[in-house]
Amino acid sequence: MNVYDGQRIAAMLESHGLTQTEDISDADLIILNTCAVREKATNKVYSALGRIRCAKKESALFGIVGCVARESGADAFKRIPELNFVLGPQSYHKLPEIIKDPDTKLLNIDLGGLEKFDELPQITKSPTVAYIPIQEGCNHCCTYCIVPYTRGRELSRPYKDVINDVKNAANTGAIEICFLGQNVNGYKYTDENNKLYRLSDLIRETAKCPEIQRIRFTSSYPTEMTDDLIEMFGTEPKLLPFLNMPIQSGSPRILKLMNRPDDLNGYKNIVKKLKAVRPDIQISSDFIVGFPDENDSDFEETLNIAKEIKYINSYSFKYSPRPHTAAALMKNQISEQIKSVRLQKLDSQLNENQREFNTSCIGQEMLCLCEGPDKTGHHLLFRTPYMQQCIVAKPDYEISPLQKIKITDANKASLRGEIIK
Ligand code: 5AD
Ligand code: SF4
């Protein structure tokens, strides 16, 4: 989401005549787009702000946008008095106004809805993978999560606007569409004729674009995997056989404390249904270890579920207490030391899953998307349908971005392959 927001901010400022520089000391305007999901991310923002403050030109306008801006509010000006603006994740369309005034001091952290999408210029050249937000905010109040506070209640973008973005991306170079949302499969939009549109409708319509060859979406909430969406995996070959559906923990007791769906059989049933319609589907998850009151046997259950579902490509985090969240006030917070040990154990299980899956790919042929050359320039980096990185010797002829690749070797981190002519 932040990568997308950054691209739109850049496009918006370019349409106002600004150009990008790599050199902070040369910049007239510096914007830090920020994430507040874990404390570490917030700390990084403040250390980066300190560095930028020293490196920038005195006259440069300087500010933060995104979730740390919303969380810090006026406090950000107290901590870094040189800041000119502090804009929440739904206010960055105000930037053109701000840059006209060299003495500006603007705080806007309101949850303004989706108007930012209307005020931003259309992208004229799309990358091969186009990220398209379809909803913002979240109505699920997981007790550890700051997102409902920073991004607000769930709002779905109008169906027609999303399809316009898809067509625009397809006409300007996109081959893959990735639909984005904090709760992407909760997408619900009712038009003026009372017709309800879901994510499955967006996928079906997107698949009709001949230029678009691959479709995916992230991040999904387990109990919103409705049958219409599950069926899409069986009927729409452009939808990649890979789904990020975070479980967070394998312990029903901890899931209850997290205010997450705690019916493990329900979760497993969704995976079963997905495999029934798309036998080659793989699932990825996000995990949190060291949630308040998590004991050794709760953690064992997390290890067990990671092994049982054979998650690939997953993300794991130590629980980080966040302001405005219920879990931060819970008793029995877990020590950093225990969190670190558990994270290491979980990571080694997730790595083993990944290595096993990568090895099972050797000998297979997969349609992969080229991301460009590696650092040496001798290889091309591709993404498989499962988002694995695949390294291929650079051919001495022009290739199209989507190539059939035969997988020849694998380790935990990546695959090696050959282009099939
Ligand atoms: N501590 C640790 N991880 C968190 N996440 C969200 N909030 C927290 C927190 N307070 C993780 C969840 C979520 C991902 C985006 O970030 O795993 O799925
Ligand atoms: Fe946060 Fe995701 Fe839970 Fe929403 S569903 S509150 S974004 S972790």
Side-chain angles (χ1 to χ4, degrees), residues 138 140-142 144-145 147-148 182 221 248 260:
C138 187
H140 296 293
C141 291
C142 303
Y144 52 79
C145 186
V147 166
Q182 274 84 36
Y221 193 79
Q248 310 293 356
R260 298 273 307 177

Side-chain angles (χ1 to χ4, degrees), residues 37-38 144-145 246 248 286-288 317-322:
V37 80
R38 282 170 291 280
Y144 52 79
C145 186
Q248 310 293 356
D286 297 357
F287 293 94
I288 296 177
F317 310 103
K318 290 192 235 178
Y319 166 70
S320 166
R322 308 304 297 126

Side-chain angles (χ1 to χ4, degrees), residues 4 6 12 25 35 58 78 88 97 108 129 156 158 197 205 258 278 281 310 317 345 358 386 411-412 414 421:
Y4 166 85
M12 178 172 63
S25 63
C35 170
E58 189 155 347
K78 280 193 207 135
E97 227 175 273
N108 189 326
V129 181
S156 292
Y197 293 93
E205 194 60 24
M258 287 177 165
R278 191 80 179 253
I281 199 166
K310 293 203 172 108
F317 310 103
K345 280 191 188 157
N358 286 357
Y386 301 100
N411 60 30
K412 189 208 88 198
S414 61
K421 282 201 247 177

Side-chain angles (χ1 to χ4, degrees), residues 313-421:
N313 261 348
S314 295
Y315 298 92
S316 48
F317 310 103
K318 290 192 235 178
Y319 166 70
S320 166
R322 308 304 297 126
H324 317 284
T325 64
L329 305 172
M330 286 180 184
K331 284 188 289 199
N332 299 336
Q333 298 279 331
I334 306 298
S335 73
E336 268 308 296
Q337 197 199 352
I338 292 178
K339 284 182 196 169
S340 299
V341 172
R342 288 183 185 162
L343 186 65
Q344 222 173 24
K345 280 191 188 157
L346 177 60
D347 281 348
S348 78
Q349 179 62 53
L350 295 173
N351 288 343
E352 197 181 312
N353 292 0
Q354 189 73 42
R355 186 187 300 276
E356 200 176 296
F357 177 63
N358 286 357
T359 311
S360 76
C361 294
I362 298 175
Q364 285 188 36
E365 292 175 7
M366 296 180 180
L367 204 54
C368 301
L369 189 67
C370 189
E371 289 187 326
D374 71 351
K375 276 191 202 128
T376 68
H378 299 310
H379 301 98
L380 292 177
L381 300 176
F382 283 84
R383 274 293 146 192
T384 73
Y386 301 100
M387 295 301 119
Q388 300 144 293
Q389 188 180 66
C390 184
I391 306 164
V392 171
K394 193 167 178 217
D396 51 10
Y397 51 89
E398 278 287 304
I399 58 156
S400 56
L402 208 59
Q403 288 291 324
K404 209 171 204 189
I405 307 265
K406 179 164 181 157
I407 309 302
T408 54
D409 202 0
N411 60 30
K412 189 208 88 198
S414 61
L415 306 175
R416 291 203 166 248
E418 289 164 1
I419 295 175
I420 301 174
K421 282 201 247 177

